[in-house]
Amino acid sequence: MCGIVAYIGNKPAFPILINGLKRLEYRGYDSAGVALYENSGLNVLKKEGKVAALEAFAVDKASDSTLGIAHTRWATHGAPNDVNAHPHLSADGSLAIIHNGIIENYHSIKAELHDKGYAFESDTDTEVLVTFIQDIRDTHNLSFEDAVITSLSKVIGAYAIVVINQDNPDQMIAARKGSPMVIGLGDGEYFIASDATPIVEFTKDVIYLNDEEIAIIQRDGYRITNTSNVPLIPSIQKLDIQLEALEKGGYEHFMLKEIFGQPESIADCMRGRLNARERKLTLGGIREYANKLVNAEKITILGCGTSWHAGLVAEYILEDICRIPVEVEYASEFRYRNPVIKEGDIIIAISQSGETADTLAAIELAKSKGAIVFGVVNAVGSSIARATHEGAYLHAGPEIGVASTKAFTGQLTVLTMIALKVGYLKGTITESQYGDLLYELESIPKKVAQALETDKRIQEISAKFKDATNCLYLGRGYNFPVALEGALKLKEISYIHAEGYPAAEMKHGPIALIDENMPVVFIATRDSSYEKIISNIQEVKSRKGKVIAIVSQHDEEIERMADFTIEVPSSHEALMPLISVIPLQLLSYHIAIMRGCNVDQPRNLAKSVTVE
Ligand code: G6P
């Protein structure tokens, strides 16, 4: 939540900051602002709304200053408006701050500062923090650096902050605890950002700041220290992102680019890992702990949102193929409910961003109880990737549309490879089943490309249902989590209320909703529950519901019953979610576009949820 970017160097900061904010806008987009160092004072320009609104407002008010900080916000404290937007100035105007995270004890700090006579303009925890730094500096006559360090030692909560100081045109101070932060090392210039996307076009050399580390960045060099001001030796890493991956590449929206990029992103995920002809499946990231997976008595999967849905699919696959009991938990529930985790228990944590606060905290809790944690993560070098013992990256490339699409199929691909590897090592699948499944998995990119050919048909269907107010998604077995994912996609980007259910559970409630206005999307490809789902379709039809069915090719039986069918290629049922989710992604995309919604940046959402 919230994107931060800062620059110090030899170029005008403003264009770099604005472009950086545009790259980070997926993290939050309710208001934005910049602060530029100017001789006459810190020039703070802020605007409610998207970064484009800030740019239009600020373009003729910004100087050529070569030092500045900027922020795009996802509101936690205080409504999204100009006043609450970051950067915030300290009470005396000498310091400006940008902040991602939440200061949990800001109420008590604010009360103390009130008693000392300070007044606040905004409702934010951030303005309290920057005035707190100023007060500590002035009261104890500390240097800027010592004031930042001392105040952070008194703060409870999560933060990634950058602070600049009117008295020093050559310095900025950054610190992190619980919120991500990357420092780019250029030639005579430095960049700070929530992720590497604003940095990549300038330099590939970066430092990922760790929790409780502070960076003091000067025009002529930098230092990293811990919270006791002890110098640390930073590890400089090379970025492996290409600029093109951050652009729309001719598509109207990132979401559409990412949906259509799935044949490639799934192939990238398997590249170098899977070779069916040679019966080779190598997952370097789980090599050391493979035995632990094979001998696991149970596996607990943690995730949020779409990643949790991928976990549900994995539950079916791991139980089916590896005969290991699996529990799938929302990370946010797991971390607060005193879960039973023993030394050596196996956890798989799934996350696209690698920064989701609840997932990260759940991992730390599991580790504190002695669990071994595997990460299934997309963002390379992210906090979750670093917090887990081992894991496998998705290699899906940056996902920018807020609604997750290619990360979901990447997650399913990695989790399927893990299940196949473990099932094979464990002997719970036969040699020939293993070989067949490797071939099937290898052919998925081609089948996903065929599923994408339904796009035209889906546009026609979308036009008929774009004005719906409710929608039900039903599936059984492997396609039940796909129903949940389809419903989530529709509600998050089109704002149509949608629910996913196991098809048989419909009788225990949702059936009461069905009338001639209710679209019901069935994921009804030919699998072991095919006959059962046909009965469910009949139950909906006899109550006049409108049925849209995702079916296997040449399914005449469902075609006779359903109002609309969308045909997709067949595969082993364990792999069908990789294919059957594609039309659901397209359906939500087209309906949202037809309703005039902003699909890449749906209201109230953010891509990286770094607050709990
Ligand atoms: C947010 C995003 C979702 C994502 C979820 C979990 O809600 O909008 O697309 O599924 O967070 O995020 P993660 O990065 O941990 O997969």
Side-chain angles (χ1 to χ4, degrees):
M1 327 298 295
C2 303
I4 62 177
V5 51
Y7 176 78
I8 184 167
N10 36 35
K11 303 190 185 88
F14 182 73
I16 295 172
L17 296 173
I18 289 290
N19 283 336
L21 287 185
K22 286 182 181 163
R23 294 257 161 79
L24 292 174
E25 211 167 10
Y26 72 86
R27 302 178 64 86
Y29 34 79
D30 60 42
S31 52
V34 294
L36 299 168
Y37 178 90
E38 283 166 21
N39 289 333
S40 51
L42 297 170
N43 182 9
V44 178
L45 303 159
K46 316 200 276 191
K47 206 72 204 146
E48 181 180 342
K50 301 261 158 66
V51 174
L54 169 70
E55 186 178 16
F57 166 75
V59 75
D60 53 357
K61 301 177 185 70
S63 64
D64 280 347
S65 167
T66 55
L67 168 60
I69 56 178
H71 187 274
T72 179
R73 179 168 186 248
W74 187 90
T76 55
H77 289 86
N81 56 32
D82 294 356
V83 176
N84 288 332
H86 299 212
H88 287 283
L89 286 174
S90 57
D92 70 352
S94 68
L95 307 176
I97 192 171
I98 46 174
H99 169 215
N100 169 203
I102 294 179
I103 305 301
E104 286 167 14
N105 59 337
Y106 90 104
H107 271 299
S108 58
I109 299 175
K110 191 172 187 177
E112 257 176 54
L113 292 171
H114 252 306
D115 292 347
K116 288 182 150 185
Y118 289 102
F120 297 91
E121 278 183 8
S122 76
D123 309 316
T124 65
D125 50 344
T126 307
E127 190 189 6
V128 173
L129 176 59
V130 70
T131 296
F132 188 45
I133 297 171
Q134 177 217 310
D135 180 65
I136 286 185
R137 180 196 64 189
D138 296 348
T139 311
H140 303 285
N141 203 12
L142 295 179
S143 68
F144 174 38
E145 185 182 327
D146 288 341
V148 172
I149 294 177
T150 309
S151 49
L152 291 180
S153 70
K154 297 177 193 294
V155 151
I156 300 171
Y159 53 78
I161 57 165
V162 186
V163 200
I164 57 173
N165 174 6
Q166 178 56 38
D167 297 330
N168 192 342
D170 299 318
Q171 188 186 54
M172 55 192 187
I173 298 185
R176 98 157 245 186
K177 183 178 174 195
S179 292
M181 182 172 264
V182 190
I183 302 170
L185 312 174
D187 186 10
E189 56 186 357
Y190 296 96
F191 307 81
I192 300 177
S194 301
D195 71 27
T197 58
I199 297 175
V200 62
E201 66 194 89
F202 301 103
T203 175
K204 300 272 189 212
D205 294 327
V206 295
I207 297 168
Y208 291 94
L209 210 63
N210 292 312
D211 272 350
E212 315 219 4
E213 287 182 359
I214 294 159
I216 297 101
I217 312 229
Q218 305 266 142
R219 285 183 196 278
D220 56 359
Y222 67 94
R223 282 181 293 126
I224 312 282
T225 73
N226 66 13
T227 47
S228 312
N229 217 348
V230 175
L232 303 171
I233 298 169
S235 136
I236 300 175
Q237 304 191 23
K238 279 266 175 242
L239 283 179
D240 185 26
I241 317 175
Q242 300 312 318
L243 198 54
E244 307 81 73
L246 305 176
E247 285 161 359
K248 286 188 196 147
Y251 285 92
E252 189 112 348
H253 299 98
F254 282 110
M255 183 180 177
L256 196 61
K257 176 190 172 203
E258 286 155 8
I259 292 174
F260 275 89
Q262 288 174 106
E264 205 182 319
S265 58
I266 296 171
D268 286 345
C269 180
M270 298 190 289
R271 183 160 296 124
R273 291 169 163 171
L274 171 67
N275 184 328
R277 203 164 44 83
E278 293 174 12
R279 298 175 78 78
K280 228 182 75 191
L281 181 55
T282 322
L283 279 165
I286 66 161
R287 205 172 288 157
E288 208 174 303
Y289 288 91
N291 266 343
K292 306 261 184 216
L293 276 167
V294 169
N295 297 319
E297 280 170 21
K298 112 178 165 186
I299 294 176
T300 302
I301 298 183
L302 302 174
C304 301
T306 289
S307 297
W308 183 77
H309 293 158
L312 288 181
V313 177
E315 175 183 15
Y316 284 63
I317 304 183
L318 284 161
E319 294 202 342
D320 205 2
I321 293 182
C322 311
R323 310 305 302 149
I324 302 173
V326 176
E327 269 183 64
V328 187
E329 301 235 21
Y330 286 116
S332 54
E333 287 298 313
F334 177 88
R335 63 180 287 200
Y336 287 120
R337 66 165 191 78
N338 195 13
V340 182
I341 296 289
K342 301 189 307 299
E343 183 82 28
D345 277 2
I346 303 290
I347 304 280
I348 299 179
I350 308 175
S351 176
Q352 188 288 125
S353 62
E355 300 295 347
T356 302
D358 282 320
T359 309
L360 196 53
I363 290 169
E364 294 303 345
L365 174 70
K367 277 169 50 183
S368 73
K369 291 173 181 281
I372 294 162
V373 186
F374 292 84
V376 174
V377 173
N378 195 31
V380 176
S382 56
S383 304
I384 292 178
R386 287 181 291 141
T388 45
H389 294 105
E390 277 207 331
Y393 282 120
L394 311 184
H395 297 309
E399 187 180 69
I400 293 168
V402 164
S404 185
T405 52
K406 66 173 179 174
F408 179 69
T409 48
Q411 290 162 344
L412 297 188
T413 308
V414 166
L415 291 160
T416 305
M417 287 193 286
I418 293 176
L420 288 176
K421 185 84 203 174
V422 173
Y424 177 70
L425 293 173
K426 231 183 137 179
T428 44
I429 44 171
T430 63
E431 284 273 346
S432 82
Q433 285 169 326
Y434 178 67
D436 291 351
L437 276 161
L438 292 185
Y439 272 109
E440 276 302 327
L441 189 54
E442 212 168 51
S443 70
I444 287 293
K446 207 174 75 221
K447 292 182 179 175
V448 166
Q450 286 166 14
L452 286 165
E453 287 168 14
T454 58
D455 189 45
K456 273 262 145 357
R457 167 110 181 112
I458 292 172
Q459 286 186 43
E460 290 158 19
I461 297 173
S462 302
K464 304 221 179 322
F465 292 101
K466 67 176 179 23
D467 298 320
T469 46
N470 288 292
C471 191
L472 205 53
Y473 284 70
L474 301 175
R476 302 180 76 119
Y478 281 103
N479 279 328
F480 156 56
V482 179
L484 295 181
E485 176 60 9
L488 175 63
K489 287 290 87 97
L490 187 72
K491 71 184 134 196
E492 66 184 340
I493 59 169
S494 75
Y495 318 139
I496 295 174
H497 171 244
E499 290 204 49
Y501 253 81
E505 275 294 305
M506 169 184 70
K507 287 199 268 309
H508 301 287
I511 200 164
L513 300 169
I514 293 171
D515 61 15
E516 65 281 9
N517 299 316
M518 178 65 131
V520 184
V521 179
F522 276 93
I523 301 99
T525 49
R526 256 190 223 101
D527 59 18
S528 48
S529 43
Y530 178 71
E531 300 300 334
K532 304 271 178 215
I533 207 154
I534 287 190
S535 313
N536 300 133
I537 294 176
Q538 275 159 344
E539 286 156 8
V540 170
K541 276 320 295 173
S542 54
R543 285 158 186 88
K544 300 196 172 62
K546 295 278 177 292
V547 170
I548 305 157
I550 314 297
V551 296
S552 304
Q553 282 161 341
H554 316 301
D555 187 331
E556 284 159 19
E557 190 169 357
I558 297 186
E559 195 175 355
R560 275 194 296 276
M561 283 186 276
D563 297 84
F564 301 93
T565 54
I566 299 163
E567 292 190 358
V568 292
S570 299
S571 184
H572 186 285
E573 67 178 319
L575 307 184
M576 277 313 290
L578 282 158
I579 301 171
S580 53
V581 75
I582 303 292
L584 304 184
Q585 296 170 343
L586 288 168
L587 188 69
S588 61
Y589 172 82
H590 288 300
I591 290 181
I593 294 291
M594 287 171 192
R595 289 164 70 91
C597 301
N598 183 339
V599 292
D600 281 340
Q601 294 171 348
R603 71 182 177 208
N604 303 340
L605 295 178
K607 182 129 195 88
S608 188
V609 182
T610 53
V611 293
E612 62 170 291

